[in-house]
Structures are given as structure tokens and as C-alpha cells.
Amino acid sequence: MSKLLVPYYEHPAEQPEAWDALIAAAPSLYGVVLNPANGSGSSPDASFAEVADRLRSAGVRVLGYVDTAYGARPPQDVVREAARHRAWYGVHGLFLDQAATSALQLPYYADLRAAFAASYDTYVTLVLNHGAVPHPGYARIADLLVTFEGPWSAYRPAGPTGPDTCHLVYGAPPDAVAQAPVHCLVPGQLPHPWGTLPHRLEPAR
């Protein structure tokens, strides 16, 4: 059965009904990406802490958003931000955005994986958002690889679609069908597509 990985980048205080809908959909979710301020932010946000607690109580995997700048961001900054997500929001793992696809950056992400494992007292789920098909070596580092991120009009995913594959598609019509076991197809458009939920999770109005 397919599962939803939902990167929902709206504040809980401004869109409470949408967050309620996400929590109600817990059995169908692979996880929810928490992104308070294009990352963890510089201080805890009480609204995000409260919704993270509700997600965990519902059995939903909570992932903290961290940008890696395609392997150019200093790894200590990535690890520091990951620690804030853990301390402030109790995340189960991390969604590393702008992940590189080349074999050249494999050591960078392998070192991050090792650093996360050393600093967490429980297993860290790691999702790498490449947005395109990466070198096969990344499958040995992450639990889930996002191999497509883009508009429905360009949704022609290449490469294998195994159990560790996710597609993130925006501008999707209500009858859109994903081609990966983990996915998120939303109606939103640029510049802020991840401010909308998948059609089937949209709260009643």
C-alpha cells in the first residue's frame, strides 16, 4: 500500500484545520516534514512543538527539514540544526533538502548519517530530497530517496521505483496517480506548492 510523505510548510496557528486533517490521516502517512522557519529556526516555536507532539501521539513519523545546499553547506551546521529539531520538536528523523545526486558527495552524506547516529539515542530516519535520480550509492545512506520533485506537467520519472523511492509532485489534478510507493501529489503551484495538502487530505470547507 502506498504511503504519503507530506512536506506541509504552513504555520499550525494559521492553518489549524489542515494540520488536524494531517493528524487524522495518520494511518496513510509515511511521515510529515516539519519546517518552522526554512529549517528549525533560531528558537523553539510553541505551535510547531504542540503539533509535533500531536503527530507523534497519533503514530506519525515527524521529520525535521534541513537544507544541505547540494553538499555545499558546512556539515557542522547541518548537524547543529538537526540537533535543534530533535531538542525542540522531538523529531524521529530528518528530511535533507537540496541533496546532491553525484557520487562525489557520497562521503559528505555518509558522514552526516554517522554523525546523526552518534548523537541520537534512537534510530534516525533519513530522507534525502534529491529531486532527481541520484547515484545508486545514496540508497545505502538514506531510508528514502526523493527521486522526483517537480510539476505534474513534467512528471516523467526515470529510474527504479523501489520501496525506498519517493516522488513529490505539485500542480497535480485531483485524479493524479503517483508512480512511487511513497509520494505526495498536491494541487499547489510555485512559488509555494508545499503550502497545500494532497487532494484527499484537504479539510472540508
Side-chain angles (χ1 to χ4, degrees), residues 51-154:
V51 83
D53 183 63
R54 291 176 63 202
L55 287 164
R56 289 194 308 273
S57 296
V60 178
R61 182 189 286 114
V62 182
L63 304 168
Y65 175 98
V66 183
D67 189 350
T68 65
Y70 302 105
R73 187 177 183 192
Q76 62 270 25
D77 291 352
V78 176
V79 173
R80 189 178 302 114
E81 185 165 15
R84 290 197 294 263
H85 274 296
R86 176 69 167 178
W88 297 343
Y89 306 114
V91 300
H92 301 98
L94 301 161
F95 178 89
L96 300 188
D97 199 17
Q98 296 200 113
T101 58
S102 167
L104 295 175
Q105 282 79 31
L106 281 168
Y108 173 92
Y109 290 94
D111 288 348
L112 286 177
R113 165 108 254 182
F116 300 148
S119 59
Y120 278 50
D121 56 1
T122 57
Y123 184 79
V124 182
T125 298
L126 187 61
V127 178
L128 295 179
N129 182 17
H130 304 280
V133 178
H135 184 277
Y138 286 97
R140 296 191 293 272
I141 297 172
D143 298 279
L144 188 68
L145 306 177
V146 179
T147 60
F148 180 92
E149 181 179 2
W152 175 254
S153 60

Side-chain angles (χ1 to χ4, degrees), residues 148 150-156 169-173 175-179 185-186:
F148 180 92
W152 175 254
S153 60
Y155 187 35
R156 311 282 189 277
V169 186
Y170 54 84
D175 59 350
V177 177
Q179 299 178 40
L185 278 66
V186 300

